[in-house]
Amino acid sequence: CCCRCCWNGPYYCECLFERLCHDDADNILRMNMWTIFASKENVAMYRVMVIVHLAITIPVRWLAAETHNLGHHRWLPRSMGRVVDVLEAACAKIVDGNVDILDEKFMMNLFSVFRLEMVEFDEFLTFKFEKQKRKDAGKSSEK
């Protein structure tokens, strides 16, 4: 949801603004929604939510979903506790001010320890964030 709101935010604002201009009736809810969507704080929140989704949610969901296939790497359901430990350490660095959440290198390498341990995880992240990104960029340049 956060990705859709971030990418479609300008369209939401434009649509709400048009409705506000063309409707004679005052609509407090619509006016407040337009104000919220257009606020810098909201845009900043969407950006942070996208970073969390890409850097944390996608890798953790893959690890949780593939746990039953990773037994040959000695990865068991209780191994997800290691993921929580890595996240806790990363959050502590961010809260202490040692690292910025906007640091792409730091955020995208949170799970580098697991990439070294599990080839499948490394292949997934490589595909998701490098090969797929290049493929998508090629499509947009063809238009």
Side-chain angles (χ1 to χ4, degrees):
C1 178
C2 63
C3 292
R4 281 186 238 121
C5 289
C6 184
W7 289 318
N8 294 327
Y11 303 112
Y12 293 158
C13 288
E14 184 179 332
C15 178
L16 286 169
F17 185 72
E18 282 182 22
R19 297 293 303 221
L20 284 170
C21 292
H22 295 299
D23 289 348
D24 292 331
D26 288 333
N27 189 330
I28 294 173
L29 177 62
R30 200 179 298 153
M31 185 62 185
N32 286 336
M33 285 178 62
W34 181 76
T35 304
I36 289 170
F37 273 124
S39 72
K40 291 181 181 180
E41 293 85 0
N42 203 41
V43 172
M45 180 192 65
Y46 288 146
R47 288 181 179 167
V48 170
M49 291 171 69
V50 169
I51 291 168
V52 168
H53 178 73
L54 294 175
I56 298 172
T57 305
I58 290 174
V60 170
R61 285 183 69 181
W62 188 90
L63 287 168
E66 295 295 322
T67 295
H68 66 285
N69 293 328
L70 300 171
H72 59 283
H73 292 291
R74 299 179 124 184
W75 186 265
L76 304 169
R78 68 175 174 248
S79 301
M80 290 301 291
R82 293 177 55 208
V83 174
V84 174
D85 293 340
V86 167
L87 285 175
E88 183 181 18
C91 288
K93 287 181 182 178
I94 292 169
V95 168
D96 292 341
N98 298 335
V99 179
D100 189 10
I101 196 167
L102 299 176
D103 182 358
E104 182 178 357
K105 187 176 180 181
F106 173 75
M107 291 302 294
M108 297 310 286
N109 289 310
L110 287 177
F111 302 109
S112 59
V113 173
F114 306 124
R115 288 183 88 160
L116 297 173
E117 291 179 17
M118 296 174 276
V119 177
E120 298 91 337
F121 185 54
D122 184 50
E123 289 172 354
F124 167 74
L125 292 179
T126 301
F127 171 76
K128 190 71 176 171
F129 298 122
E130 294 172 19
K131 292 181 181 175
Q132 194 173 31
K133 183 178 173 181
R134 279 188 243 130
K135 185 175 85 173
D136 292 341
K139 285 182 182 178
S140 64
S141 64
E142 293 172 4
K143 293 180 180 178

